[in-house]
Amino acid sequence: MSLRLDDQVCFGLYSASRAVTALYRALLEDMDLTYPQYLVMLALWEQDNRLVKELGSELSLDSGTLSPLLKRLAAAGLIERVRQTDDERAVRAALTDKGKALCERAERIPGIIGEAMGLDGDGLARMRTDLDRLTASVNAYRESLA
Amino acid sequence: MSLRLDDQVCFGLYSASRAVTALYRALLEDMDLTYPQYLVMLALWEQDNRLVKELGSELSLDSGTLSPLLKRLAAAGLIERVRQTDDERAVRAALTDKGKALCERAERIPGIIGEAMGLDGDGLARMRTDLDRLTASVNAYRESLA
DNA sequence: TCCAACTAAGTTGTGTACAACTCAGTTGCG
DNA sequence: CGCAACTGAGTTGTACACAACTTAGTTGGA
């Protein structure tokens, strides 16, 4: 398919993202986590007891995605949803012991991913910088449309 | 969220892909196309009358995704699904006149995307190469697991 | 020739994404 | 104070992705 270069980069992003997610799927299978669920767990391992709203802004996911996702993590016994007392609207996601324990089994994953991507430290760092810049640029452009 | 660098690159890919898709969504809105639908239309504008199987291998999508997607494109009057006579299992997607005409309205899109990404020609080319390499590497690793 | 293995497409079920909406709770301002 | 505007979370509906399965049609080898 001979797309214009701009379209090719977008298709490249789409393909790369799906390929990486597919690898995560294989690695997360025995932990019964999807990639977005893993991202939420990472955020909670980093800092427990987060507001749904905080998780949303960190992962750029809205309540339409997070609410059912958190419900599934709760059903799996990995987190509990705690309604805040001083603001009855807000809900915090808190790790259970089982959720905390899962962290250990996840430790091997980043290394495997890094190996699979076939990039050295510099390559990884550069890719990350480039992607962040691109995302920021695209989001800024999108804001400017509204 | 201080992930390991490997995880950061993956989250960067995930974020970038979603940001770009969101921009496409805005640009494709008045054509009533989603990004995956646009990819299929691009493939057909490039070469009409493709087997579902061919579209699938080009976009790395299986029939579980393509069948309903093509059904929606057909319902919108952009394509027709033609069962092949020499192999009754195979189905070709063929552009209608309306589908062919839509090409013109899509012409402005790559330019806008390019501008939004904020990269020059070299930057785009390099990004595309890097992404393709990364996808190939990850997919190869994934194959090696099975 | 015959049928077991294969193949193309479609179906079903689960889990994101995301728009649009509801609902309960909070806040700021006249 | 009172209430309109706002906010956080959840719900509903649509459209991917993808695994697992079904169905119909094809093919190759005993």
Side-chain angles (χ1 to χ4, degrees):
Chain A
M1 191 155 61
S2 82
L3 310 178
R4 294 231 352 225
L5 188 51
D6 323 86
D7 270 340
Q8 282 184 35
V9 172
C10 297
F11 183 66
L13 277 171
Y14 168 74
S15 300
S17 179
R18 285 202 297 142
V20 167
T21 303
L23 178 55
Y24 272 107
R25 190 176 305 119
L27 299 177
L28 293 169
E29 192 174 20
D30 68 323
M31 298 169 66
D32 275 304
L33 287 178
T34 63
Y35 179 59
Q37 289 168 7
Y38 169 74
L39 290 176
V40 168
M41 294 303 288
L42 277 179
L44 292 175
W45 288 328
E46 169 89 25
Q47 191 196 324
D48 201 352
N49 258 74
R50 307 280 279 260
L51 292 172
V52 173
K53 178 183 137 93
E54 290 168 357
L55 292 171
S57 73
E58 192 152 323
L59 305 176
S60 307
L61 291 173
D62 67 6
S63 67
T65 302
L66 276 178
S67 286
L69 189 157
L70 293 174
K71 198 180 291 185
R72 279 186 278 273
L73 288 179
L78 299 175
I79 66 165
E80 271 178 349
R81 286 132 109 231
V82 185
R83 194 158 291 276
Q84 204 155 351
T85 42
D86 67 327
D87 183 344
E88 290 277 339
R89 290 169 305 177
V91 170
R92 287 186 181 281
L95 290 169
T96 60
D97 289 343
K98 188 177 169 190
K100 284 174 194 160
L102 198 63
C103 181
E104 220 171 299
R105 286 216 279 156
E107 230 131 62
R108 75 196 179 98
I109 291 181
I112 296 178
I113 297 284
E115 187 195 339
M117 291 194 291
L119 293 173
D120 57 16
D122 282 359
L124 285 174
R126 193 162 61 79
M127 180 64 91
R128 174 171 152 9
T129 309
D130 290 352
L131 288 171
D132 285 356
R133 230 197 300 275
L134 187 145
T135 302
S137 176
V138 168
N139 281 335
Y141 186 94
R142 205 152 53 78
E143 306 270 300
S144 80
L145 289 182
Chain B
M1 192 157 59
S2 83
L3 310 178
R4 290 228 358 221
L5 189 50
D6 323 87
D7 270 342
Q8 282 185 33
V9 171
C10 296
F11 182 66
L13 276 172
Y14 168 74
S15 300
S17 179
R18 285 203 297 144
V20 167
T21 303
L23 178 54
Y24 272 107
R25 190 176 303 121
L27 299 176
L28 293 169
E29 191 174 22
D30 68 323
M31 298 168 66
D32 275 304
L33 287 179
T34 64
Y35 179 59
Q37 288 168 9
Y38 169 74
L39 289 177
V40 168
M41 294 303 288
L42 277 179
L44 292 175
W45 288 327
E46 169 92 26
Q47 189 196 325
D48 202 351
N49 257 74
R50 306 280 279 263
L51 292 172
V52 173
K53 177 184 137 92
E54 289 168 358
L55 292 170
S57 72
E58 193 152 321
L59 305 176
S60 307
L61 292 172
D62 67 6
S63 67
T65 302
L66 276 177
S67 285
L69 189 157
L70 293 173
K71 198 180 290 186
R72 279 185 280 271
L73 288 180
L78 299 175
I79 66 165
E80 272 178 346
R81 288 134 107 229
V82 186
R83 194 158 291 275
Q84 205 156 352
T85 43
D86 66 327
D87 184 344
E88 290 276 341
R89 290 169 306 177
V91 170
R92 286 186 182 280
L95 290 168
T96 60
D97 288 345
K98 188 176 169 191
K100 284 173 194 159
L102 198 63
C103 181
E104 221 171 298
R105 286 216 279 157
E107 228 130 64
R108 74 196 178 97
I109 291 180
I112 297 177
I113 296 284
E115 188 195 338
M117 291 193 291
L119 293 173
D120 58 15
D122 282 358
L124 286 174
R126 194 163 60 79
M127 180 63 92
R128 175 176 154 355
T129 308
D130 290 352
L131 287 171
D132 285 357
R133 230 197 300 274
L134 188 145
T135 301
S137 176
V138 168
N139 281 335
Y141 187 94
R142 205 152 51 79
E143 306 269 302
S144 79
L145 289 184

